[in-house]
mmCIF file of all heavy atoms in Angstrom:
data_model
loop_
_atom_site.group_PDB
_atom_site.id
_atom_site.type_symbol
_atom_site.label_atom_id
_atom_site.label_comp_id
_atom_site.label_asym_id
_atom_site.label_seq_id
_atom_site.Cartn_x
_atom_site.Cartn_y
_atom_site.Cartn_z
ATOM 1 N N LEU B 475 99.139 92.692 58.267
ATOM 2 C CA LEU B 475 100.253 91.768 58.036
ATOM 3 C C LEU B 475 101.551 92.361 58.591
ATOM 4 O O LEU B 475 102.299 91.693 59.308
ATOM 5 C CB LEU B 475 100.378 91.481 56.541
ATOM 6 C CG LEU B 475 101.541 90.565 56.147
ATOM 7 C CD1 LEU B 475 101.323 89.165 56.695
ATOM 8 C CD2 LEU B 475 101.717 90.512 54.637
ATOM 9 N N VAL B 476 101.803 93.646 58.273
ATOM 10 C CA VAL B 476 102.999 94.334 58.765
ATOM 11 C C VAL B 476 103.023 94.298 60.290
ATOM 12 O O VAL B 476 104.037 93.992 60.927
ATOM 13 C CB VAL B 476 103.030 95.796 58.262
ATOM 14 C CG1 VAL B 476 104.108 96.588 58.973
ATOM 15 C CG2 VAL B 476 103.246 95.831 56.756
ATOM 16 N N SER B 477 101.873 94.591 60.880
ATOM 17 C CA SER B 477 101.768 94.626 62.335
ATOM 18 C C SER B 477 102.134 93.267 62.933
ATOM 19 O O SER B 477 102.880 93.186 63.915
ATOM 20 C CB SER B 477 100.345 95.025 62.711
ATOM 21 O OG SER B 477 100.259 95.267 64.078
ATOM 22 N N THR B 478 101.645 92.209 62.338
ATOM 23 C CA THR B 478 101.915 90.870 62.866
ATOM 24 C C THR B 478 103.398 90.513 62.723
ATOM 25 O O THR B 478 103.995 89.919 63.629
ATOM 26 C CB THR B 478 101.046 89.824 62.152
ATOM 27 O OG1 THR B 478 99.685 90.176 62.355
ATOM 28 C CG2 THR B 478 101.309 88.434 62.689
ATOM 29 N N ILE B 479 104.002 90.898 61.572
ATOM 30 C CA ILE B 479 105.433 90.614 61.406
ATOM 31 C C ILE B 479 106.237 91.356 62.472
ATOM 32 O O ILE B 479 107.174 90.813 63.071
ATOM 33 C CB ILE B 479 105.894 91.015 59.983
ATOM 34 C CG1 ILE B 479 105.216 90.110 58.951
ATOM 35 C CG2 ILE B 479 107.411 90.905 59.856
ATOM 36 C CD1 ILE B 479 105.440 90.553 57.520
ATOM 37 N N GLY B 480 105.823 92.599 62.754
ATOM 38 C CA GLY B 480 106.485 93.363 63.811
ATOM 39 C C GLY B 480 106.415 92.643 65.150
ATOM 40 O O GLY B 480 107.407 92.543 65.881
ATOM 41 N N ALA B 481 105.228 92.106 65.458
ATOM 42 C CA ALA B 481 105.063 91.383 66.725
ATOM 43 C C ALA B 481 106.010 90.188 66.785
ATOM 44 O O ALA B 481 106.588 89.879 67.834
ATOM 45 C CB ALA B 481 103.615 90.935 66.876
ATOM 46 N N LEU B 482 106.188 89.537 65.630
ATOM 47 C CA LEU B 482 107.091 88.384 65.562
ATOM 48 C C LEU B 482 108.523 88.813 65.883
ATOM 49 O O LEU B 482 109.244 88.132 66.627
ATOM 50 C CB LEU B 482 107.012 87.790 64.157
ATOM 51 C CG LEU B 482 107.433 86.331 64.033
ATOM 52 C CD1 LEU B 482 106.472 85.440 64.782
ATOM 53 C CD2 LEU B 482 107.489 85.938 62.560
ATOM 54 N N LEU B 483 108.929 89.984 65.344
ATOM 55 C CA LEU B 483 110.276 90.491 65.623
ATOM 56 C C LEU B 483 110.448 90.758 67.119
ATOM 57 O O LEU B 483 111.502 90.463 67.697
ATOM 58 C CB LEU B 483 110.533 91.778 64.834
ATOM 59 C CG LEU B 483 110.641 91.649 63.324
ATOM 60 C CD1 LEU B 483 110.913 92.999 62.685
ATOM 61 C CD2 LEU B 483 111.749 90.668 62.937
ATOM 62 N N MET B 484 109.406 91.314 67.747
ATOM 63 C CA MET B 484 109.491 91.553 69.192
ATOM 64 C C MET B 484 109.696 90.233 69.929
ATOM 65 O O MET B 484 110.484 90.149 70.873
ATOM 66 C CB MET B 484 108.211 92.220 69.700
ATOM 67 C CG MET B 484 108.101 93.679 69.332
ATOM 68 S SD MET B 484 106.417 94.293 69.544
ATOM 69 C CE MET B 484 106.403 94.695 71.255
ATOM 70 N N ALA B 485 108.963 89.206 69.495
ATOM 71 C CA ALA B 485 109.085 87.901 70.144
ATOM 72 C C ALA B 485 110.502 87.351 69.980
ATOM 73 O O ALA B 485 111.065 86.781 70.916
ATOM 74 C CB ALA B 485 108.062 86.927 69.562
ATOM 75 N N ILE B 486 111.079 87.537 68.768
ATOM 76 C CA ILE B 486 112.459 87.076 68.555
ATOM 77 C C ILE B 486 113.406 87.820 69.497
ATOM 78 O O ILE B 486 114.259 87.220 70.155
ATOM 79 C CB ILE B 486 112.869 87.290 67.076
ATOM 80 C CG1 ILE B 486 112.048 86.376 66.161
ATOM 81 C CG2 ILE B 486 114.366 87.011 66.892
ATOM 82 C CD1 ILE B 486 112.239 86.668 64.684
ATOM 83 N N GLY B 487 113.222 89.145 69.574
ATOM 84 C CA GLY B 487 114.061 89.944 70.471
ATOM 85 C C GLY B 487 113.992 89.450 71.892
ATOM 86 O O GLY B 487 115.013 89.270 72.565
ATOM 87 N N PHE B 488 112.782 89.165 72.358
ATOM 88 C CA PHE B 488 112.630 88.704 73.733
ATOM 89 C C PHE B 488 113.282 87.338 73.923
ATOM 90 O O PHE B 488 113.902 87.073 74.956
ATOM 91 C CB PHE B 488 111.152 88.649 74.119
ATOM 92 C CG PHE B 488 110.938 88.300 75.567
ATOM 93 C CD1 PHE B 488 111.142 89.256 76.548
ATOM 94 C CD2 PHE B 488 110.584 87.020 75.946
ATOM 95 C CE1 PHE B 488 110.982 88.945 77.888
ATOM 96 C CE2 PHE B 488 110.416 86.696 77.286
ATOM 97 C CZ PHE B 488 110.618 87.666 78.257
ATOM 98 N N THR B 489 113.150 86.482 72.902
ATOM 99 C CA THR B 489 113.770 85.161 72.996
ATOM 100 C C THR B 489 115.288 85.289 73.147
ATOM 101 O O THR B 489 115.903 84.567 73.938
ATOM 102 C CB THR B 489 113.443 84.323 71.746
ATOM 103 O OG1 THR B 489 112.050 84.428 71.495
ATOM 104 C CG2 THR B 489 113.808 82.874 71.935
ATOM 105 N N VAL B 490 115.874 86.209 72.379
ATOM 106 C CA VAL B 490 117.317 86.430 72.514
ATOM 107 C C VAL B 490 117.651 86.837 73.944
ATOM 108 O O VAL B 490 118.650 86.399 74.523
ATOM 109 C CB VAL B 490 117.800 87.509 71.512
ATOM 110 C CG1 VAL B 490 119.270 87.834 71.747
ATOM 111 C CG2 VAL B 490 117.584 87.048 70.081
ATOM 112 N N MET B 491 116.784 87.653 74.545
ATOM 113 C CA MET B 491 117.043 88.076 75.918
ATOM 114 C C MET B 491 116.992 86.890 76.877
ATOM 115 O O MET B 491 117.816 86.786 77.794
ATOM 116 C CB MET B 491 116.037 89.134 76.347
ATOM 117 C CG MET B 491 116.437 89.819 77.628
ATOM 118 S SD MET B 491 115.549 91.336 77.858
ATOM 119 C CE MET B 491 114.221 90.738 78.841
ATOM 120 N N VAL B 492 116.013 85.999 76.666
ATOM 121 C CA VAL B 492 115.927 84.817 77.529
ATOM 122 C C VAL B 492 117.199 83.978 77.376
ATOM 123 O O VAL B 492 117.772 83.500 78.366
ATOM 124 C CB VAL B 492 114.672 83.988 77.188
ATOM 125 C CG1 VAL B 492 114.668 82.683 77.959
ATOM 126 C CG2 VAL B 492 113.419 84.792 77.506
ATOM 127 N N ILE B 493 117.662 83.818 76.108
ATOM 128 C CA ILE B 493 118.906 83.073 75.876
ATOM 129 C C ILE B 493 120.067 83.749 76.611
ATOM 130 O O ILE B 493 120.877 83.095 77.281
ATOM 131 C CB ILE B 493 119.201 83.006 74.356
ATOM 132 C CG1 ILE B 493 118.148 82.130 73.665
ATOM 133 C CG2 ILE B 493 120.605 82.454 74.102
ATOM 134 C CD1 ILE B 493 118.191 82.220 72.156
ATOM 135 N N ASN B 494 120.095 85.083 76.519
ATOM 136 C CA ASN B 494 121.121 85.865 77.209
ATOM 137 C C ASN B 494 121.102 85.574 78.707
ATOM 138 O O ASN B 494 122.143 85.309 79.324
ATOM 139 C CB ASN B 494 120.851 87.352 76.949
ATOM 140 C CG ASN B 494 122.016 88.241 77.345
ATOM 141 O OD1 ASN B 494 122.990 87.767 77.915
ATOM 142 N ND2 ASN B 494 121.915 89.522 77.047
ATOM 143 N N ILE B 495 119.906 85.585 79.283
ATOM 144 C CA ILE B 495 119.777 85.356 80.726
ATOM 145 C C ILE B 495 120.269 83.962 81.085
ATOM 146 O O ILE B 495 121.032 83.781 82.039
ATOM 147 C CB ILE B 495 118.306 85.550 81.168
ATOM 148 C CG1 ILE B 495 117.944 87.042 81.121
ATOM 149 C CG2 ILE B 495 118.071 84.980 82.559
ATOM 150 C CD1 ILE B 495 116.493 87.344 81.376
ATOM 151 N N ILE B 496 119.867 82.958 80.282
ATOM 152 C CA ILE B 496 120.263 81.584 80.579
ATOM 153 C C ILE B 496 121.785 81.439 80.472
ATOM 154 O O ILE B 496 122.443 80.902 81.381
ATOM 155 C CB ILE B 496 119.550 80.595 79.626
ATOM 156 C CG1 ILE B 496 118.041 80.615 79.925
ATOM 157 C CG2 ILE B 496 120.105 79.184 79.782
ATOM 158 C CD1 ILE B 496 117.206 79.877 78.908
ATOM 159 N N MET B 497 122.344 81.958 79.362
ATOM 160 C CA MET B 497 123.800 81.855 79.171
ATOM 161 C C MET B 497 124.571 82.521 80.303
ATOM 162 O O MET B 497 125.526 81.968 80.857
ATOM 163 C CB MET B 497 124.200 82.505 77.838
ATOM 164 C CG MET B 497 124.104 81.563 76.663
ATOM 165 S SD MET B 497 124.506 82.407 75.125
ATOM 166 C CE MET B 497 126.062 83.183 75.521
#
Side-chain angles (χ1 to χ4, degrees):
Chain B
L475 178 66
V476 169
S477 189
T478 301
I479 294 171
L482 202 66
L483 292 181
M484 285 164 84
I486 293 171
F488 185 77
T489 313
V490 174
M491 193 163 94
V492 173
I493 292 169
N494 193 354
I495 288 173
I496 293 170
M497 274 177 51

